[in-house]
Amino acid sequence: MPENAKKNELLYRVYVVLFVFVALAAVIAWKIIDISVVEGEYWKNKREERYMEWRPVPTLRGNIYADDAQSLLATSVEFFEIRMDPVSPRESEFYEQVDGLAKALAQYPGRRSAREWRDLLVSARKACIKGQKGCNRNILIARDVDQSGLEKLLSYPLFKLEKVAKYRGGFKKIKSFKRKKPFESLAARTVGEYRDANMVGLENSYDTVLKGEEKEALMQRFPGGLYVPVYDPTDFEIIKGRDIVTTINVPLQDIVHNELYKSVQEHNAEGAVAVLMEVKTGRIKAMSNLSRSKNGSIGEYHNYAFADRSEPGSTIKAASVLALLEDGFADENTLVDFNYGKKKFWDLWMKDSGSHGLKTGTLQMALEKSSNVGIASVMQEKYAANPEMYYDRMMQFGFDGPTGLDLEGEGAPYIKHPTRDKKIWYGTTIPWMAHGYELSMTPLQVLNFYNAVANDGKLMKPQLVQAIIYNEEVEQEFKPIVKRKSIASRDNINRLQRMLKGVVDNGTARSLRSDRYEFAGKTGTTKVGYSKADEEAKYNASFAGYWPADNPEYSMIVVVYGLKGAKYYGNVVAGPVFKRIMDWTFAIEGEELMRDEQVIASGDVRGYDGEIYGFDPDFDRVFDDLDVGYVGSGRWVRGGNDPEGDVRAGKAKITVDAVPDLSGMGARDAIYVLENLGMDVKLEGVGKVSRQSISPGKNIDNQVITLYLN
């Protein structure tokens, strides 16, 4: 073969091989482009669909109960996210029922029309079977579906095949829990908020108690970061967290909240706080924190009661008087300088709020009339040379640190020290501190002092939680805690108690007196922002006290913030709120408690009107204490004495759809029953229900019912 021919043949073979390589390279390049660009989303989804990992499953958070261990303040409600795998159903069943399912889905979530639902399900199924773009084996059907909604969806075509075999209809449910407050705004800030970050209230303080033990499940990842359990999540046992029983009493909380709300509205205030505490135990029975949002709505947005300090004003005069008594500098009859209600301390003038025309008066008169000049004069005279004595007494009275309330965020009171704070200690500091300025504390810290006075000097730790429950058993019980056996001598505590009663009988709170019971306390009015002369003056009105005066059961503080105009004094704004709450509690508990005490003292159960009507556990406890035989059947019972002198009570007729007959029931129980039936309640009188404005048996339709007590 000629040399040229061999050369040409070799070149030909080279070109053929090169062409094959170029062709293969082109095919490979096209396939790469096809996979990464044209079918990129499809293969990405397939990769994600095959990715699995162990991830935490939802836990059932424990409940937060009111003091009766039955009324729910916060609970976890079960919800589901519903999705569908359109490939799982058999072909014949899918096409036979997909039209019916589409029509049903168009009615339920309302997000798509029946045609749109059908097109979505059919196209997704076809794409998955053919391995094309658009394959989706995890189609979102609905979110936040409750149990009734779940049952409704399982009655739809295709989905009802789940009852035949799991996943037969392509139905997928993903369980989750949402936190709900059945009483909504009541004690909302105290109960708190459960969320991923910045939790507040009891939800935050008791988070480790409330949250259940976390478990893990094998999850399959889908596009968009969605994880779905490989197995039905209902197959996993959800470990429930522990429940907590608070000290909050729902009827009392409702009263406090509503009366405070009305005051904020009436006086166009910026906000208000009220805290109601049991004197002997320190347990908080109600705590309401109201403020205005930017749009003017009133709600619980911040817990001012224990988290925000402010100058307390004249309510602190009781502490100043107790310091004088403890140091032996004065007693209630000591004459002090009123100087006609105006006096200059160093370079500042001090005035009393009203004209009294007195040059001198007793220390008791100074407290009763809330004379700034009278209190400041005697405090300056006695403590100017040794201000540490006054500071030490304030520490002794419980202002040496936080109260220890079981919520996070409480700060210590701010009280100047004459040495450590000498740069801001002025000649006017003692007289101004004496009547509630140049020091700051929370409403709860002021209340805890008054509670100690009511409790014969015993300083209690305020409590919001009384028990932790696990598996319906009390796992831990929190007994009342005494922080200090006495903040002062018994004699001086008794003197101050009489003086605070005098404030109500003869002083600034005289307009709040009641003919039915006696109470003690102190009014307060604080000017805020007083250093800003170019701004309109604003005031905080307050009242702190306790009742009944002789054997106190409750202590309370009311503070109304940001008042403008002519009505801002404590006895005009905060005092009436205090009085109305007392009236309500006395109507609910006072007469009945007095009557029960008379029955217990006499031992004559037959004197109990021959009838009992109310909450079975209460009767069981009372008659057990009396050593009287008692048999009750039901949660709410009605009955009386039998011939042998024992008490028998049968189940009372109370249903969810009809107004019950409440004649003979105590006011507290009646309010509880009616409000749980969705009715608003008004009371007239005190004692037990004698008649009601809506006849028994009428249908319940969110009415307002008036109960007439006798």
Side-chain angles (χ1 to χ4, degrees):
M1 181 181 292
E3 189 67 28
N4 287 339
K6 288 181 179 181
K7 187 176 181 181
N8 290 338
E9 183 180 357
L10 182 60
L11 287 173
Y12 174 75
R13 291 177 179 178
V14 170
Y15 291 145
V16 169
V17 171
L18 182 61
F19 175 78
V20 170
F21 274 108
V22 170
L24 287 173
V27 170
I28 291 171
W30 164 248
K31 199 60 181 178
I32 291 172
I33 294 171
D34 183 50
I35 291 173
S36 61
V37 180
V38 180
E39 297 179 355
E41 192 66 26
Y42 170 80
W43 289 110
K44 180 181 177 183
N45 292 343
K46 294 295 286 183
R47 175 182 60 82
E48 292 198 348
E49 285 180 10
R50 284 162 173 75
Y51 180 81
M52 296 183 185
E53 66 176 273
W54 288 91
R55 294 179 62 86
V57 296
T59 58
L60 181 59
R61 196 170 177 83
N63 296 324
I64 300 178
Y65 289 101
D67 62 348
D68 60 1
Q70 296 184 35
S71 303
L72 283 168
L73 300 178
T75 188
S76 293
V77 180
E78 191 176 58
F79 285 90
F80 298 91
E81 182 175 300
I82 307 301
R83 293 181 176 263
M84 182 185 179
D85 177 3
V87 181
S88 289
R90 298 170 183 172
E91 184 172 359
S92 59
E93 291 175 339
F94 180 83
Y95 286 106
E96 284 174 5
Q97 300 185 46
V98 69
D99 289 337
L101 175 61
K103 289 177 182 178
L105 290 177
Q107 298 298 318
Y108 181 78
R111 294 187 298 119
R112 294 183 176 90
S113 66
R115 174 172 288 185
E116 289 172 333
W117 273 116
R118 187 187 188 283
D119 290 345
L120 174 64
L121 298 175
V122 171
S123 62
R125 179 183 173 91
K126 289 180 177 179
C128 292
I129 292 173
K130 295 179 179 180
Q132 295 177 343
K133 183 180 179 181
C135 172
N136 186 354
R137 301 192 63 172
N138 207 43
I139 297 172
L140 176 65
I141 302 298
R143 287 192 173 98
D144 298 333
V145 178
D146 59 18
Q147 190 63 40
S148 62
L150 177 66
E151 292 173 2
K152 184 177 181 181
L153 283 166
L154 285 170
S155 68
Y156 288 176
L158 274 180
F159 289 168
K160 61 186 178 183
L161 295 175
E162 292 300 300
K163 298 175 182 178
V164 178
K166 194 173 290 186
Y167 302 129
R168 175 103 170 241
F171 187 85
K172 296 180 180 181
K173 62 179 184 287
I174 305 170
K175 182 187 293 185
S176 63
F177 299 99
K178 287 194 174 182
R179 209 66 170 154
K180 296 291 183 183
K181 296 175 184 173
F183 291 99
E184 298 180 348
S185 60
L186 285 189
R189 203 67 188 179
T190 304
V191 174
E193 299 293 338
Y194 171 65
R195 49 201 178 199
D196 292 336
N198 300 319
M199 287 195 295
V200 296
L202 293 171
E203 293 278 18
N204 179 48
S205 298
Y206 286 83
D207 180 50
T208 56
V209 173
L210 290 165
K211 66 182 180 181
E213 180 183 337
E214 286 191 348
K215 297 186 70 174
E216 290 187 336
L218 187 61
M219 301 275 191
Q220 184 174 354
R221 189 176 70 184
F222 288 88
L226 175 71
Y227 287 86
V228 177
V230 174
Y231 305 102
D232 188 340
T234 57
D235 291 341
F236 298 100
E237 177 189 0
I238 300 297
I239 299 179
K240 184 177 180 294
R242 286 157 174 77
D243 301 327
I244 62 173
V245 180
T246 72
T247 61
I248 298 294
N249 179 274
V250 171
L252 294 178
Q253 179 68 46
D254 188 38
I255 291 166
V256 169
H257 177 91
N258 287 324
E259 292 300 337
L260 202 65
Y261 189 96
K262 286 188 286 187
S263 181
V264 173
Q265 280 190 315
E266 178 185 353
H267 299 289
N268 196 30
E270 292 179 357
V273 164
V275 185
L276 177 64
M277 184 187 292
E278 267 185 353
V279 169
K280 304 300 182 186
T281 64
R283 288 175 172 168
I284 294 173
K285 308 309 291 182
M287 181 188 290
S288 189
N289 297 270
L290 299 179
S291 57
R292 292 184 184 272
S293 64
K294 292 181 179 179
N295 63 12
S297 63
I298 303 170
E300 290 226 354
Y301 307 118
H302 183 72
N303 201 322
Y304 298 95
F306 87 101
D308 278 26
R309 295 183 316 207
S310 62
E311 292 173 314
S314 293
T315 54
I316 209 63
K317 288 175 182 173
S320 297
V321 168
L322 187 58
L324 291 166
L325 296 175
E326 279 289 277
D327 285 319
F329 289 151
D331 61 26
E332 60 267 42
N333 297 313
T334 299
L335 291 178
V336 299
D337 183 18
F338 282 48
N339 204 47
Y340 305 107
K342 184 178 180 181
K343 188 173 183 178
K344 192 173 186 179
F345 294 89
W346 293 82
D347 59 339
L348 294 177
W349 282 96
M350 182 184 293
K351 296 180 181 180
D352 287 343
S353 60
S355 176
H356 47 66
L358 295 173
K359 171 59 179 171
T360 60
T362 65
L363 181 62
Q364 175 145 356
M365 290 172 60
L367 188 65
E368 290 177 353
K369 295 181 179 296
S370 198
S371 171
N372 299 332
V373 172
I375 297 294
S377 295
V378 67
M379 292 293 289
Q380 178 73 352
E381 176 189 344
K382 302 300 183 181
Y383 289 106
N386 192 0
E388 287 88 353
M389 290 181 67
Y390 178 43
Y391 177 88
D392 290 342
R393 288 301 182 191
M394 294 296 282
M395 298 300 102
Q396 173 186 320
F397 299 157
F399 297 115
D400 53 340
T403 65
L405 182 70
D406 34 8
L407 290 178
E408 293 183 11
E410 181 187 13
Y414 170 69
I415 299 176
K416 288 183 182 179
H417 188 277
T419 302
R420 291 194 295 269
D421 300 310
K422 61 183 179 181
K423 290 184 178 180
I424 53 173
W425 187 275
Y426 312 111
T428 57
T429 293
I430 286 288
W432 256 259
M433 284 176 65
H435 74 291
Y437 293 88
E438 292 196 37
L439 75 172
S440 62
M441 53 199 62
T442 69
L444 181 62
Q445 290 159 358
V446 176
L447 173 61
N448 213 31
F449 167 76
Y450 276 84
N451 193 79
V453 173
N455 201 19
D456 294 330
K458 188 181 292 184
L459 184 70
M460 306 301 296
K461 176 185 175 182
Q463 287 182 309
L464 273 170
V465 174
Q466 58 188 14
I468 295 174
I469 296 177
Y470 186 59
N471 288 335
E472 300 184 356
E473 298 285 341
V474 175
E475 183 178 77
Q476 186 176 1
E477 186 175 0
F478 299 98
K479 300 288 187 182
I481 297 174
V482 179
K483 291 187 67 177
R484 196 160 296 162
K485 289 184 177 180
S486 185
I487 62 170
S489 73
R490 184 63 179 268
D491 183 57
N492 287 329
I493 289 291
N494 290 342
R495 288 173 183 270
L496 182 57
Q497 289 172 342
R498 291 193 295 270
M499 295 172 77
L500 289 173
K501 189 171 180 294
V503 173
V504 177
D505 292 341
N506 312 303
T508 54
R510 192 171 186 273
S511 61
L512 306 174
R513 289 183 305 171
S514 171
D515 295 331
R516 293 187 288 118
Y517 57 87
E518 294 183 325
F519 68 101
K522 182 69 187 75
T523 56
T525 307
T526 313
K527 187 175 182 179
V528 296
Y530 45 83
S531 61
K532 301 175 182 177
D534 56 334
E535 292 185 7
E536 181 182 2
K538 290 195 297 185
Y539 299 86
N540 297 338
S542 58
F543 192 96
Y546 51 87
W547 73 94
D550 293 334
N551 186 24
E553 183 178 355
Y554 294 118
S555 64
M556 183 167 63
I557 187 167
V558 175
V559 185
V560 184
Y561 297 104
L563 296 163
K564 298 178 181 179
K567 294 179 69 174
Y568 55 80
Y569 287 110
N571 65 329
V572 176
V573 179
V577 179
F578 191 101
K579 173 66 162 49
R580 290 195 298 270
I581 294 171
M582 279 194 302
D583 287 343
W584 271 100
T585 57
F586 198 81
I588 292 172
E589 299 179 350
E591 293 279 359
E592 294 173 15
L593 289 173
M594 290 171 62
R595 186 169 192 164
D596 289 346
E597 288 173 1
Q598 293 168 0
V599 172
I600 292 171
S602 67
D604 182 14
V605 184
R606 296 172 192 273
Y608 209 94
D609 282 347
E611 182 184 45
I612 61 169
Y613 186 13
F615 191 47
D616 174 73
D618 289 343
F619 291 128
D620 188 51
R621 184 177 63 253
V622 169
F623 291 120
D624 182 62
D625 291 341
L626 290 170
D627 196 24
V628 172
Y630 169 72
V631 178
S633 57
R635 186 164 180 254
W636 296 98
V637 295
R638 192 168 199 158
N641 298 109
D642 64 15
E644 286 75 32
D646 293 335
V647 180
R648 294 185 179 275
K651 185 177 181 180
K653 186 180 180 181
I654 298 176
T655 62
V656 297
D657 56 355
V659 177
D661 178 5
L662 298 172
S663 58
M665 182 179 279
R668 176 171 56 179
D669 285 344
I671 290 174
Y672 182 89
V673 169
L674 292 172
E675 289 192 341
N676 275 275
L677 292 174
M679 304 184 75
D680 291 327
V681 185
K682 291 184 178 180
L683 297 182
E684 290 194 10
V686 296
K688 294 184 177 182
V689 178
S690 60
R691 60 190 178 92
Q692 56 197 72
S693 62
I694 301 177
S695 301
K698 295 285 188 181
N699 290 335
I700 294 177
D701 188 22
N702 298 320
Q703 304 104 313
V704 177
I705 185 171
T706 302
L707 301 180
Y708 301 93
L709 311 178
N710 183 12

